Amino acid sequence: MKIAKTITQYIITIIIAIAMILFLVINLATSTILKESYILSKLEETNYYDQIYEDVKSNFEKYIYQSGLEENVLEGIITKEKIKKDTQLIISNLYDGLVQKIDTQEIKDNMNKNIEKTLKSTQINATQRKAIDTLIEEICTEYTRTISHYEYEKQINDLYQKVMKYVAIIKKVLLISMAIGIILLLILNKNQIYKAFCLGGIFLTISGVFFIIVHMFLNAKIKVQTILILNEAISNILKSTLTHIFNTIHYEGYIMSAIGILLIILSNLIHNKLKYKED
């Protein structure tokens, strides 16, 4: 009977540890990459808007060289404020399910004004007008492409909403599982509560050690500072996000391990003190 009770307690402890690990992993995801405000803060933190502004200007210059027009036709056609506004619009489309289109009319108007100033009194014929209109359309297309505006934002949001729906359910199930497990441990050790604290220390230590090992594995396999994807601006956001996630895993791992070991030591001290009194 005693052996069955001990085995049952350790099974419950392992289940609680697994539930805790899953809950913390999901919670970390929902507080970082799955959270709109977090992504927006990372855009500010990594100077994303400034970098995209420079990328946009650099990409525009390719079309000007091909057209034969002077570079000054690009002056002032976009601003950092517009890039920030349009980027936040894209983020809203992804996270909030909005279907907002980027307005490029301002770019068209500004470029037309610059071209008219450059050409001054030169008469623009139909062929030239068509070429200019084509160039402006290419510039606008390049702008929306550079700031990562895609047609499948709605599909991404649909997937995001489904994920968040299931995440909410899973988090509740995990919390209930942990609560039931802890209550069962307390009931099984109602006459020696300190043993329940020892088991609590064990599942905390298991969870903490798991996170420490995961952190070591990720650091060994992923060289965050060498990551390069799409462009430098997006790469910097990814680097900053991964660094934050890795540091959080590392921190939580050591905190849980420390608390777990402390509970195990404390419960054993209480056990030894009670045993010494009985002796």
Side-chain angles (χ1 to χ4, degrees):
M1 184 68 181
K2 189 176 181 181
I3 295 174
K5 179 182 176 182
T6 302
I7 292 172
T8 301
Q9 288 182 113
Y10 279 112
I11 290 173
I12 294 171
T13 301
I14 292 170
I15 291 172
I16 294 173
I18 293 170
M20 179 174 284
I21 289 167
L22 291 173
F23 179 82
L24 290 173
V25 168
I26 292 171
N27 195 57
L28 180 58
T30 54
S31 63
T32 53
I33 57 174
L34 295 177
K35 189 175 182 181
E36 182 179 354
S37 59
Y38 176 86
I39 297 299
L40 290 174
S41 70
K42 283 297 174 185
L43 295 179
E44 293 282 0
E45 183 183 314
T46 58
N47 296 317
Y48 177 84
Y49 306 116
D50 292 342
Q51 292 177 45
I52 290 297
Y53 177 71
E54 295 302 325
D55 287 346
V56 168
K57 289 202 302 180
S58 176
N59 291 341
F60 283 176
E61 289 171 1
K62 296 182 297 185
Y63 295 94
I64 294 303
Y65 294 144
Q66 296 169 7
S67 70
L69 293 170
E70 295 179 15
E71 285 187 35
N72 59 9
V73 300
L74 296 176
E75 290 180 5
I77 66 170
I78 57 162
T79 61
K80 291 179 183 178
E81 288 72 23
K82 176 168 178 56
I83 287 175
K84 183 175 182 178
K85 177 185 174 183
D86 289 340
T87 301
Q88 291 177 349
L89 179 147
I90 294 168
I91 299 297
S92 294
N93 286 349
L94 294 174
Y95 284 90
D96 301 330
L98 304 178
V99 190
Q100 303 174 95
K101 297 292 182 182
I102 290 177
D103 184 12
T104 57
Q105 189 59 49
E106 181 183 339
I107 297 174
K108 293 178 182 178
D109 292 342
N110 290 337
M111 196 163 179
N112 270 315
K113 288 177 184 177
N114 288 348
I115 289 172
E116 287 173 6
K117 286 180 184 178
T118 300
L119 297 178
K120 295 179 181 177
S121 58
T122 305
Q123 188 69 31
I124 301 174
N125 58 43
T127 303
Q128 291 174 322
R129 183 71 261 175
K130 185 178 180 181
I132 289 172
D133 289 342
T134 300
L135 173 64
I136 292 174
E137 285 299 328
E138 288 175 344
I139 288 288
C140 291
T141 300
E142 182 62 35
Y143 172 75
T144 55
R145 187 189 299 118
T146 305
I147 64 170
S148 303
H149 178 55
Y150 304 107
E151 293 299 322
Y152 45 83
E153 287 165 7
K154 183 65 172 66
Q155 288 88 332
I156 293 174
N157 176 259
D158 290 341
L159 178 61
Y160 171 76
Q161 294 299 335
K162 288 178 182 177
V163 168
M164 292 305 292
K165 180 181 177 181
Y166 288 117
V167 160
I169 295 170
I170 292 170
K171 284 177 76 173
K172 286 180 182 178
V173 171
L174 292 173
L175 281 172
I176 292 169
S177 300
M178 286 188 284
I180 292 172
I182 292 169
I183 291 169
L184 287 174
L185 290 179
L186 290 171
I187 292 171
L188 290 169
N189 295 279
K190 59 183 178 181
N191 296 323
Q192 296 174 307
I193 292 297
Y194 63 87
K195 287 188 177 181
F197 282 100
C198 180
L199 293 167
I202 291 172
F203 68 66
L204 280 171
T205 304
I206 291 172
S207 302
V209 170
F210 174 83
F211 277 106
I212 292 170
I213 292 171
V214 167
H215 177 260
M216 292 171 62
F217 175 80
L218 292 174
N219 268 344
K221 294 295 182 181
I222 303 175
K223 304 301 179 185
V224 174
Q225 297 309 315
T226 62
I227 289 175
L228 183 61
I229 179 171
L230 295 180
N231 56 48
E232 186 180 353
I234 292 177
S235 296
N236 287 339
I237 292 175
L238 185 57
K239 290 175 187 177
S240 180
T241 301
L242 287 176
T243 299
H244 175 246
I245 290 173
F246 288 4
N247 288 341
T248 301
I249 290 171
H250 184 253
Y251 174 77
E252 289 183 352
Y254 277 103
I255 289 294
M256 285 189 293
S257 297
I259 295 173
I261 292 169
L262 186 62
L263 283 174
I264 292 169
I265 293 171
L266 186 61
S267 62
N268 276 286
L269 287 174
I270 294 171
H271 171 73
N272 291 334
K273 187 175 181 180
L274 292 173
K275 186 178 179 182
Y276 174 75
K277 281 186 177 181
E278 288 174 2
D279 292 342

